[in-house]
Amino acid sequence: MKPALNLRLHQQLALTPQLQQAIRLLQLSSIELEMELREALESNPLLELPDEPGEPAPAEAEAGVDAPPVEFLDTRNTSSSETASSDSGDAREADEDRFESLDMNFDTPARNAPSDDEFETQEPEKQDLRDHLLWQLNLTPMSARDRAIAVAIIEAIDDDGYLHEPIEAIQQGLDSLYQVDADEIEAVRHRVQRFDPLGVASRNLRDCLLVQLDSFETDVEGLAVARAIVADHLEVLAKNDRARLSRSLKAGSDQIDLAVQLIRALDPKPGSSVSSAAPEYVAPDAYAFRHHGQWQVSLAPGCQPQLAINRHYESLIARAQRDDASYLRGQLQEARWLIKSLKTRADTILKVAQSIVKAQSAFLDFGPEAMKPLVLKDVAEEIGMHESTVSRVTTRKFLYTPRGTFEFKHFFSSGVSTVDGGTASATAIQAMIRKLIEAEPTGKPLSDQGLAEELNRRGINVARRTVAKYREAMNIAASNERCRLS
């Protein structure tokens, strides 16, 4: 075979550094983006923040970046002459001014820094269940031996307030300090059970409820029957067998009702009342609001951070030595790429948010039952982008609506056919199922088959197994577990 030269033509997608940066910024949340830009400002001397918050970045014109779109902002408090001047002048400052004038029934954060005589209120650090119990232990007179046992018990309590650790494990944990027997551990556990919240360190539900019943005065009506039910008939109570309870306890229906009301007032998970989880706060990336009868979208002020090129370092490029000039030119190019990538990110988020609001306007008007089926492909085709790009935008991005703040992904769901040839989204069907369960007769919960039949009567072609799947996704118990006394 003779050696030869062949010429081939083929296409190949090359991920340039600029494209890789744009993709990475697109999938970052607002908090992660802020951290990313903070690192960029520290590492790149060509980047800086504008002197004035409303001043546009001077380098945006050079990078070919347009001002953020403002056609979806509320201009009820802005005259036409002011609008014309803002278009020809400072577009970004007009964007922020108009955003502040929006009447969307929610509070926007103050832009001005607090004065010297103003103080920012800070919530105290939240205390978890173990800290709460240890604090009470320090106020309780105990011997050093009992205190060590109590600490071991408290450390073994789970978040619901129950102690599932076997006595042998607690004894092994105390071997280095004391040799204790099971009776000592049980005695200290009973003392811990009287801490707040009442019933912690219980072994099971029966133990927990009995400790709480012991705190009532002896003359409380129905207390004796309630103790008997908790002690020996919890399973009968769970099955809602009132006749069997009445026969077993030889009590009338009125006494059973009083006892059940007393049991309902107890806390089956006392540890959950002392939450150790810190609340999670999210900052919306976009806002949906109604203006002149139409749903419109605007970006949050911080969705497109403002960066500028440091003119001093830029002017040094022409006068710097070869190595220094090469370094500064590289940093200048990276700064321009970053500014342009931020603009692309903001434009993409706005396009996706507009498409979502357009598709789910019925949800904004009427609630979850009006949610329409929507998939990534629908939005991608409308805005002319790839599904992977839409997927990145919808992850950890949040949209504020009058019905609450939701992640973009909340508005996407599959569809189920209806009798009239249309489709209903899974979210809408879940909302219908929840509404049917909330309105079901007390003591006679609807089965999955009953829910499916009711939905079929309403025109939704859904099978029983689909209803069961949606019910489990909403963490709703089955019908036999939803039995309850009236």
Side-chain angles (χ1 to χ4, degrees):
M1 184 175 181
K2 296 181 180 180
L5 294 177
N6 295 322
L7 182 62
R8 261 187 227 175
L9 294 177
H10 68 280
Q11 292 181 339
Q12 181 179 358
L13 178 62
L15 289 178
T16 63
Q18 183 179 1
L19 182 58
Q20 294 177 9
Q21 181 186 58
I23 293 175
R24 185 168 54 85
L25 292 179
L26 191 60
Q27 61 191 9
L28 295 180
S29 65
S30 57
I31 297 177
E32 292 172 337
L33 179 64
E34 182 180 353
M35 297 175 60
E36 180 80 13
L37 297 183
R38 192 174 301 171
E39 294 179 2
L41 286 168
E42 292 177 356
S43 60
N44 192 338
L46 269 296
L47 279 175
E48 66 177 4
L49 293 174
D51 294 335
E52 298 182 5
E55 181 182 352
E60 289 185 357
E62 300 179 9
V65 182
D66 299 328
V70 296
E71 62 270 18
F72 292 95
L73 297 176
D74 190 354
T75 58
R76 279 171 285 183
N77 298 332
T78 307
S79 64
S80 59
S81 61
E82 292 172 339
T83 305
S85 62
S86 64
D87 289 340
S88 59
D90 194 351
R92 191 186 302 274
E93 186 174 4
D95 186 6
E96 296 183 355
D97 292 341
R98 292 182 185 182
F99 184 83
E100 291 176 351
S101 68
L102 292 177
D103 183 14
M104 294 186 283
N105 296 326
F106 61 90
D107 296 327
T108 55
R111 295 183 178 279
N112 297 328
S115 57
D116 295 338
D117 56 346
E118 293 178 352
F119 296 92
E120 181 181 359
T121 58
Q122 295 183 354
E123 293 184 2
E125 183 179 356
K126 289 191 177 295
Q127 207 177 37
D128 62 13
L129 178 61
R130 292 164 187 79
D131 291 336
H132 184 59
L133 294 175
L134 290 173
W135 170 74
Q136 296 175 75
L137 177 62
N138 293 332
L139 301 178
T140 304
M142 280 188 181
S143 64
R145 185 184 183 90
D146 289 347
R147 191 176 299 277
I149 297 174
V151 170
I153 291 174
I154 291 174
E155 292 296 333
I157 293 175
D158 63 16
D159 292 337
D160 290 333
Y162 286 91
L163 177 65
H164 299 297
E165 196 82 8
I167 291 180
E168 293 77 10
I170 297 177
Q171 288 175 323
Q172 291 177 3
L174 293 170
D175 280 345
S176 60
L177 297 175
Y178 304 101
Q179 295 294 326
V180 297
D181 55 30
D183 293 337
E184 288 181 280
I185 295 176
E186 279 298 298
V188 175
R189 185 179 72 84
H190 289 318
R191 296 187 66 179
V192 175
Q193 281 184 292
R194 271 67 184 177
F195 284 5
D196 177 64
L198 196 64
V200 295
S202 297
R203 291 291 186 180
N204 48 52
L205 178 61
R206 172 183 172 277
D207 187 18
C208 177
L209 298 182
L210 284 176
V211 170
Q212 297 181 49
L213 288 174
D214 289 341
S215 64
F216 287 89
E217 298 291 338
T218 56
D219 57 350
V220 173
E221 293 186 53
L223 180 60
V225 178
R227 283 177 175 168
I229 292 176
V230 172
D232 302 313
H233 304 284
L234 272 181
E235 292 184 0
V236 181
L237 177 64
K239 294 179 180 179
N240 191 19
D241 194 344
R242 299 186 62 179
R244 184 176 174 184
L245 284 175
S246 182
R247 289 195 306 269
S248 301
L249 301 175
K250 297 180 180 180
S253 59
D254 294 341
Q255 291 178 302
I256 297 295
D257 290 341
L258 288 173
V260 169
Q261 290 178 6
L262 199 59
I263 295 173
R264 278 181 166 178
L266 306 179
D267 189 355
K269 295 181 179 180
S272 60
S273 61
V274 184
S275 176
S276 59
E280 182 180 358
Y281 299 96
V282 296
D285 297 273
Y287 294 90
F289 58 96
R290 184 183 286 279
H291 177 47
H292 296 318
Q294 299 293 329
W295 286 105
Q296 300 180 355
V297 180
S298 67
L299 289 178
C303 188
Q304 185 179 2
Q306 303 170 23
L307 296 178
I309 299 296
N310 188 303
R311 295 305 181 187
H312 173 67
Y313 282 102
E314 185 183 20
S315 64
L316 294 178
I317 296 178
R319 304 193 304 268
Q321 297 180 358
R322 181 175 180 179
D323 293 341
D324 294 338
S326 177
Y327 167 77
L328 291 176
R329 277 194 295 269
Q331 295 296 313
L332 177 61
Q333 186 63 40
E334 290 185 7
R336 288 175 173 170
W337 282 353
L338 179 59
I339 293 173
K340 188 173 182 179
S341 298
L342 291 175
K343 177 63 174 68
T344 302
R345 177 183 185 273
D347 289 345
T348 306
I349 292 176
L350 180 61
K351 290 179 181 178
V352 172
Q354 289 172 357
S355 179
I356 290 175
V357 170
K358 180 181 178 181
Q360 302 295 0
S361 59
F363 163 78
L364 300 177
D365 289 326
F366 306 108
E369 293 184 25
M371 184 81 79
K372 294 182 179 180
L374 185 67
V375 295
L376 296 176
K377 182 179 179 181
D378 300 334
V379 175
E381 290 178 352
E382 181 176 350
I383 66 177
M385 293 184 177
H386 196 270
E387 291 182 39
S388 62
T389 302
V390 178
S391 177
R392 292 186 180 93
V393 174
T394 56
T395 302
R396 293 175 296 177
K397 310 297 187 304
F398 296 88
L399 176 67
Y400 176 92
T401 73
R403 295 190 177 275
T405 301
F406 304 96
E407 189 178 11
F408 282 13
K409 285 186 178 295
H410 174 78
F411 299 94
F412 293 84
S413 63
S414 57
V416 175
S417 62
T418 60
V419 294
D420 58 359
T423 56
S425 71
T427 303
I429 296 175
Q430 290 180 4
M432 294 179 187
I433 293 174
R434 184 182 295 277
K435 190 173 182 179
L436 289 173
I437 291 177
E438 290 175 351
E440 66 187 6
T442 304
K444 295 181 180 180
L446 293 171
S447 64
D448 293 339
Q449 183 62 36
L451 291 170
E453 292 175 356
E454 180 62 29
L455 290 173
N456 290 334
R457 281 193 291 270
R458 300 187 180 192
I460 307 296
N461 294 327
V462 60
R464 182 203 60 80
R465 62 180 180 273
T466 305
V467 172
K469 181 181 69 173
Y470 289 162
R471 176 182 53 75
E472 292 172 357
M474 294 185 290
N475 295 323
I476 297 178
S479 58
N480 61 337
E481 298 178 5
R482 298 201 306 273
C483 292
R484 55 186 183 272
L485 294 173
S486 57

